[in-house]
Amino acid sequence: MIRVNDNYLNLQDSYLFSTIAKKVNEFTKNNPDKKIIKLGIGDVTKPIVPAVIEAMHKAVDEMGQKETFKGYGPEQGYEFLRNKIIEIDFKARGINILPEEIFVSDGAKSDSGNIGDILHNSNKVAITDPVYPVYLDTNVMAGRSGKFNEKTGMYENIVYMPVTAENNFIPELPKEKVDMIYLCLPNNPTGTTLTKEELKKWVDYAKENKSIILFDAAYEKFIMDKNVPHSIYEVEGAKEVAIEFRSFSKTAGFTGVRCAYAVVPKELYGYDKDGNKIELNKLWNRRHSTKTNGVSYIVQRAAEAVYSEEGQKQITENIEYYMNNARIIRQGLEEVGYTVFGGENSPYVWLKVPEGLTSWEFFDKLLSEVNVVGTPGAGFGPSGEGYFRLTAFGTKENILEAIDRIKKWTIKK
Ligand code: PLP
């Protein structure tokens, strides 16, 4: 008899983006003449920059020549890419990372989802609320949660740390002892960040409690404020307690190309059942080299080109384009009285929905009355209720039009 992993039966259906798609399709079917502007899903719209395309073409040609053809590469990633990552993403910020600490992968979604493989199922997990859903769902799959409570909208045995306007989007340290802490900064969905001082509190907590911080920095390149840390390793001692996830998806438009990396420091230890220290880098290396043959040579050459002078210049222009969109959204909404958060160091703007409406009700009205699509905050967790996410990844023209429509809009009660 084939027994299934019962933990999967404990998962809640992921309604968010499928429900949005269903509602949008239905509206389009009934209103074919209306131009819908989609600022919902966090996917980029600008094409890959020329420096990267050129490198990819070159790598494709290499694959067609006997002398330069590449078969299986190192599972952890080619040295040429790991060295560039170390130099530009870390050394330039005064952080020392070794090549063996970098693991190139196909995505930060996979990495942040797979990391649980090397951590015990009895670990207590803490997530922010609202949250990027992958952290929660993969822990439910692993059996680290209890049952879902329909009343609270939360799983038992998971520590939810609210991040709302009330606490200025600064999660409070858990009162109870937790083992695995997920932090995503700049945050998806709230678009907010933490200062180095705030991050230090988490590093201190993790040291004190022998916990691990799983730090998702997928939006790091969108940080504009000089005082906001780009990496958790900017905090002294963080290499002893944190794994960091990075991605080329939003940074360089690789959502369809697929490339990311995880940093698993050598100083980072977990514990076996007898309390012996176990190097997590070794475990992750074992897991990684057993379960994947790595990322294609062509894609790694493409990622390497992101770090070239031209590549950096070109991706920075794209990021500035998106951040200008974020500014347009923020300012436009503020002008007509919305309370907005994020959008300053992140491509996400998180707004408070008008009094008396739920985030789904606001979604429906925005779609039907001004034909703009966003994402209801409630879809990211119970504390997301009352909020709404707009992304800056659209075209400037569409963003200007969407904001113009919202500014002229009187919500029908
Ligand atoms: N982490 C966060 C916080 C994200 O928002 C996303 C994508 O939306 C990812 C990771 C996924 O990154 P990747 O495309 O590298 O899998």
Side-chain angles (χ1 to χ4, degrees):
M1 184 182 78
I2 303 165
R3 270 298 299 272
V4 297
N5 179 346
D6 297 321
N7 299 324
Y8 278 64
L9 312 179
N10 200 15
L11 283 166
Q12 294 304 293
D13 280 337
S14 169
Y15 287 126
L16 183 59
F17 290 104
S18 58
T19 309
I20 290 175
K22 218 165 85 194
K23 281 176 181 266
V24 172
N25 288 342
E26 209 169 290
F27 182 81
T28 311
K29 209 173 84 196
N30 298 332
N31 303 273
D33 54 318
K34 296 272 200 269
K35 182 190 164 198
I36 292 178
I37 300 176
K38 293 182 182 170
L39 305 178
I41 294 177
D43 198 359
V44 292
T45 51
K46 282 191 102 44
I48 306 223
V49 298
V52 171
I53 291 296
E54 202 180 303
M56 277 178 108
H57 276 301
K58 193 162 159 262
V60 168
D61 289 340
E62 281 180 56
M63 291 302 250
Q65 300 294 323
K66 198 164 67 191
E67 299 75 26
T68 47
F69 165 77
K70 300 277 187 302
Y72 288 128
E75 293 97 343
Q76 301 81 355
Y78 281 101
E79 217 165 276
F80 62 77
L81 177 57
R82 294 163 103 192
N83 287 339
K84 277 278 186 280
I85 289 170
I86 289 170
E87 186 191 317
I88 313 261
D89 285 347
F90 296 103
K91 208 176 240 164
R93 296 193 178 277
I95 302 162
N96 272 327
I97 300 286
L98 303 169
E100 313 87 87
E101 296 176 321
I102 304 281
F103 295 85
V104 176
S105 77
D106 72 332
K109 185 178 196 174
S110 334
D111 285 342
S112 58
N114 290 332
I115 198 67
D117 278 13
I118 62 165
L119 301 169
H120 202 270
N121 287 359
S122 65
N123 284 331
K124 188 94 172 177
V125 173
I127 54 165
T128 58
D129 172 24
V131 75
Y132 176 54
V134 173
Y135 317 144
L136 177 62
D137 286 356
T138 54
N139 277 297
V140 175
M141 289 172 179
R144 291 194 192 93
S145 76
K147 289 262 165 265
F148 184 73
N149 182 330
E150 297 281 352
K151 257 199 214 120
T152 60
M154 296 182 199
Y155 283 93
E156 286 160 12
N157 206 37
I158 298 274
V159 175
Y160 289 72
M161 306 179 290
V163 278
T164 61
E166 280 68 45
N167 62 9
N168 211 11
F169 300 93
I170 301 173
E172 223 182 274
L173 292 171
K175 302 236 173 355
E176 59 197 294
K177 192 171 147 23
V178 298
D179 308 300
M180 294 163 58
I181 302 156
Y182 288 83
L183 293 178
C184 172
L185 295 159
N187 188 261
N188 176 16
T190 66
T192 54
T193 54
L194 290 186
T195 61
K196 197 166 158 180
E197 290 67 39
E198 284 297 335
L199 260 191
K200 187 178 177 305
K201 289 183 193 164
W202 288 93
V203 170
D204 292 344
Y205 173 93
K207 278 189 181 170
E208 215 173 285
N209 293 285
K210 295 198 167 98
S211 339
I212 188 168
I213 299 173
L214 301 158
F215 191 80
D216 189 341
Y219 297 96
E220 161 273 334
K221 279 277 187 298
F222 294 84
I223 296 172
M224 302 286 129
D225 186 338
K226 297 235 171 341
N227 295 320
V228 174
H230 287 240
S231 164
I232 189 153
Y233 305 125
E234 286 179 46
V235 178
E236 218 186 303
K239 282 184 82 181
E240 292 161 42
V241 291
I243 288 177
E244 182 161 309
F245 304 110
R246 295 276 187 109
S247 172
F248 294 93
S249 282
K250 311 298 160 83
T251 303
F254 274 42
T255 49
V257 174
R258 312 304 305 141
C259 197
Y261 67 88
V263 186
V264 187
K266 290 272 202 189
E267 294 100 309
L268 176 60
Y269 291 91
Y271 299 86
D272 69 9
K273 63 178 187 337
D274 301 318
N276 299 308
K277 282 170 95 174
I278 309 288
E279 219 183 285
L280 288 185
N281 179 284
K282 270 198 186 145
L283 293 194
W284 186 244
N285 191 37
R286 189 71 172 86
R287 190 258 170 220
H288 199 74
S289 49
T290 302
K291 289 202 177 181
T292 170
N293 273 318
V295 175
S296 92
Y297 174 73
I298 300 162
V299 167
Q300 293 193 60
R301 280 293 184 202
E304 181 196 24
V306 168
Y307 294 107
S308 67
E309 210 179 305
E310 272 306 293
Q312 288 285 291
K313 210 174 111 219
Q314 293 165 357
I315 64 153
T316 303
E317 274 167 21
N318 282 357
I319 286 166
E320 280 168 1
Y321 176 92
Y322 292 134
M323 290 310 288
N324 188 48
N325 285 348
R327 222 169 358 255
I328 294 169
I329 299 174
R330 268 190 73 98
Q331 284 173 1
L333 293 178
E334 273 174 348
E335 272 172 39
V336 285
Y338 284 91
T339 308
V340 295
F341 308 94
E344 289 176 316
N345 295 295
S346 146
Y348 296 119
V349 175
W350 189 241
L351 59 111
K352 209 137 183 40
V353 304
E355 202 73 42
L357 291 179
T358 66
S359 60
W360 274 109
E361 285 166 352
F362 184 73
F363 171 91
D364 288 334
K365 283 183 181 293
L366 196 68
L367 173 62
S368 61
E369 294 172 23
V370 287
N371 317 136
V372 173
V373 180
T375 313
F380 298 99
S383 292
E385 183 54 274
Y387 294 90
F388 199 78
R389 191 188 78 173
L390 290 175
T391 93
F393 285 127
T395 64
K396 182 178 172 188
E397 296 69 35
N398 273 348
I399 302 248
L400 281 170
E401 190 177 334
I403 294 304
D404 190 52
R405 289 185 198 171
I406 294 174
K407 280 164 93 171
K408 291 178 181 147
W409 181 34
T410 320
I411 303 181
K412 296 190 190 102
K413 291 277 169 166

